[in-house]
Amino acid sequence: VQLQASGGGLVQAGGSLRLSCAASGRTFSRYAMGWFRQAPGKERDVVAAINRSGGSTYYADSVKGRFTISRDNAKNTVYLQMNSLEPDDTAIYTCAADPRSGGNIATQTYDYDYWGQGTLVTVSS
């Protein structure tokens, strides 16, 4: 599967952005999906994850209550709605697909086999 992330940009603190990740192919609904981010000088960390049906989600503590992950299997797309953005949210955001999790959520980098190219989110103070 190929993944194409979009929606990043420059936003002021307190603002919102919506990231999208479009997947190729007809098997999107078989994949658990995740959003990861990597800030300069830091490791890549999971931000949010969703199981293949969309019925279960996971959020990193740092984004709980501010970010929402969702998916539309008919459109082969997963979204990340980001509200109340903070300067610490500045990073390259990447979507990823896990074909092996079954109906579960995948929260570890090593769970994911397919990665998009990333989209830059910059939050100014």
Side-chain angles (χ1 to χ4, degrees):
V1 63
Q2 292 184 324
L3 304 173
Q4 181 73 37
S6 61
L10 173 63
V11 63
Q12 289 187 330
S16 297
L17 283 174
R18 188 194 197 200
L19 305 184
S20 298
C21 175
S24 64
R26 294 178 291 180
T27 59
F28 177 74
S29 62
R30 298 180 185 177
Y31 298 110
M33 299 296 296
W35 284 99
F36 292 77
R37 69 184 180 186
Q38 187 168 21
K42 295 187 178 181
E43 295 184 352
R44 182 164 56 188
D45 292 322
V46 63
V47 174
I50 190 167
N51 72 341
R52 59 187 183 184
S53 71
S56 296
T57 57
Y58 165 87
Y59 297 96
D61 287 344
S62 58
V63 306
K64 280 181 182 177
R66 300 189 298 122
F67 290 12
T68 302
I69 188 170
S70 62
R71 66 189 295 161
D72 186 337
N73 286 344
K75 295 183 178 180
N76 284 9
T77 303
V78 62
Y79 305 97
L80 185 68
Q81 178 66 44
M82 306 186 294
N83 299 328
S84 303
L85 283 161
E86 304 168 353
D88 283 349
D89 295 318
T90 295
I92 295 174
Y93 286 71
T94 306
C95 57
D98 169 26
R100 294 174 279 108
S101 65
N104 300 317
I105 300 173
T107 63
Q108 303 299 318
T109 303
Y110 55 73
D111 289 325
Y112 290 84
D113 291 351
Y114 306 103
W115 295 83
Q117 87 291 357
T119 185
L120 177 62
V121 172
T122 304
V123 184
S124 63
S125 58

